[in-house]
Amino acid sequence: MAGLDMSRRTMLARGGAAVAGLSVLRLAGPAHAFGRQSGEEVIPWLDQPEDNPAPEVIVRQLEWEELDSWLTPPDQFFVIKHYDEPTLNARDWSVEISGLVAEPLTLTLADLQARARREVTCTLECSGNSGLPFLTGAVGNATWAGTSLAALLEEAGVLEEGIEIVFWGADAGEQTRGEVTITEQFARSMSLADAMDADNILAFEMNGEELPSLHGHPVRLIAPGWYGVANVKWLTRIEVIDRRFQGHFMARDYVTIREVERDGESVWTFTSVTRDRLKSAPAKVTRSGDQHRVMGAAWGAPIAGVEVRIDDGDWQPATLTEGEGSQYAWVFWDFEWDAPEAGEHTVTSRATGVTGDVQPAPDDPFLTGKTTFWESNGHITRRVRIG
Ligand SMILES: Nc1nc2c(c(=O)[nH]1)N[C@H]1C(S)=C(S)[C@@H](COP(=O)(O)O)O[C@H]1N2
Ligand SMILES: [Mo]
C-alpha cells in the first residue's frame, strides 16, 4: 500500500538526514525544532485567509506563520461559539447527570476536582476548518485535565433503556424550525458506547490553567479524537435518553451531505459530524541565510509520516520533529527545501496514518462528492514567493 511504502521511505530519509548531519541539532533538541531560531526569518504566505464575516462566531484563529509551540497557548487557540458567551461563576456552577439513570447526580466544580484526575493531550479542530476561505486556522493542541466521564456515568447508573447521552451547554440562541422560532440551548449527543470511551473527560483545565472563559469555563467535555463540535463548552447538564437526539447541531447543522456511488447508482448520504479525519497543513516557510525550511503539522489520527510536494514535483518525505507516537495530539514536521528557485511556488503536504490511510487529494471523489464544507481534509496547498 502507498501508505506503508511512504512510511518506510520516511524512515530511510530520517536516518539519512541524521547521518548527513543536517538535522543533528534539530534531533537533539526537538523542543526547539519549531521555535524561531536566531537569524531565521518567516516568509509569509501569499495566500491569506479572507476577511472573517462572522467574528462573533469565529472569535479567534491560529495564524499559521506564528505557530511555534506544540501546545497551543490559549491566546493563540482558536475559539468558535455559536451563541453569546455565557458567564458562569465557578462557585455557583454545577453539572447535572440526569434522565435515565438510577441515581441523578449534581456535581460542583469542587466535586469534580476531588475525583481521580485525568489528563489528555489532544488536538481540537473545527470540522469546518479549510472548508471556507475565511476558516483556515480553526485547529489547536492542548493538554486538558479533568475527570473521567465514564466513571461518572457508571456512578449515576445508566438504565437499561438509556442509549444516548446528551451534553447541554449553558449558551442558547434562536433557531427556526418550520413556522416556529425557539430559543435552543447548544447541545450535542453521543451514543452510550461512544460516551463511555475511557479517554473522555469533563475538563476544568487547559495547559495547566483554569479553563479560560471562551473555552468553556468552568467545565467542558473533551472527547479526544472527535471534531471540535462534540466538545461541548460551558457544560451544565448530561442527560441520558432512550432515543436519538436531533438538536440543531446534530441533525441540522454540522451535517455532512455527500453523493456516493453504490452499485453504479449515485445516492446521497447524510451524516452528523463525529470523529476527526486525517489531515496536515504546511504552517510556514522560513529562511536562514540561503537555507529554506517548510514546517507544518499533521493530525486527525496517529501519524506515521508526512510528505511535501513543491510545485508539481514529486512527494518527498518530511521529518517528524515533535509529538510522534501520540494518539490524539498533532505531530510537527520539518522539510529541508533545497535551493528553491527565486519566484512563486506552491507547497502542499499530505499525511499518512499509522493504519496506512493517506490524506485524500482535493479531487478524491470522497471529497468532490461532498456538498457541505464540513470535514474538508484534502491536501492543503499554500503559495509563497522566494527571493
Ligand atoms: N456550548 C458550546 N460548546 C461548543 C460550541 C458552542 O458554540 N457552544 N462550539 C463547538 C464548536 S463548533 C467547536 S469547533 C469547539 C471549539 O472549541 P474552542 O472554542 O475551545 O476552540 O467548541 C464546540 N463546543
Ligand atoms: Mo466547529
Side-chain angles (χ1 to χ4, degrees), residues 165-309:
I165 314 294
V166 190
F167 301 90
W168 296 89
D171 49 332
E174 284 196 347
Q175 296 293 353
T176 302
R177 306 250 181 144
E179 312 274 275
V180 190
T181 296
I182 58 160
T183 301
E184 183 171 337
Q185 252 173 283
F186 185 92
R188 281 277 305 191
S189 71
M190 279 182 175
S191 70
L192 175 61
D194 285 338
M196 288 301 286
D197 188 303
D199 293 322
N200 293 335
I201 58 172
L202 302 192
F204 42 74
E205 278 177 29
M206 179 181 187
N207 294 342
E209 309 273 329
E210 202 174 281
L211 198 60
S213 178
L214 282 166
H215 294 292
H217 184 84
V219 173
R220 79 180 302 171
L221 174 66
I222 287 291
W226 288 63
Y227 273 119
V229 69
N231 297 259
V232 176
K233 304 193 273 190
W234 309 295
L235 191 65
T236 55
R237 186 154 56 107
I238 298 171
E239 189 187 12
V240 183
I241 61 176
D242 65 356
R243 57 202 67 189
R244 295 272 93 89
F245 175 72
Q246 302 281 283
H248 183 83
F249 293 96
M250 287 302 290
R252 295 169 72 85
D253 209 353
Y254 288 85
V255 172
T256 296
I257 303 177
R258 171 180 280 128
E259 190 175 21
V260 296
E261 287 286 308
R262 187 174 299 152
D263 303 330
E265 303 258 304
S266 111
V267 294
W268 291 91
T269 64
F270 305 82
T271 51
S272 190
V273 166
T274 57
R275 288 189 173 79
D276 295 331
R277 290 192 185 275
L278 181 61
K279 194 161 166 182
S280 68
K284 58 183 173 183
V285 174
T286 63
R287 186 180 71 87
S288 182
D290 54 10
Q291 288 268 89
H292 290 79
R293 295 199 288 159
V294 185
M295 300 159 157
W299 64 93
I303 301 296
V306 174
E307 295 162 292
V308 172
R309 185 172 65 195

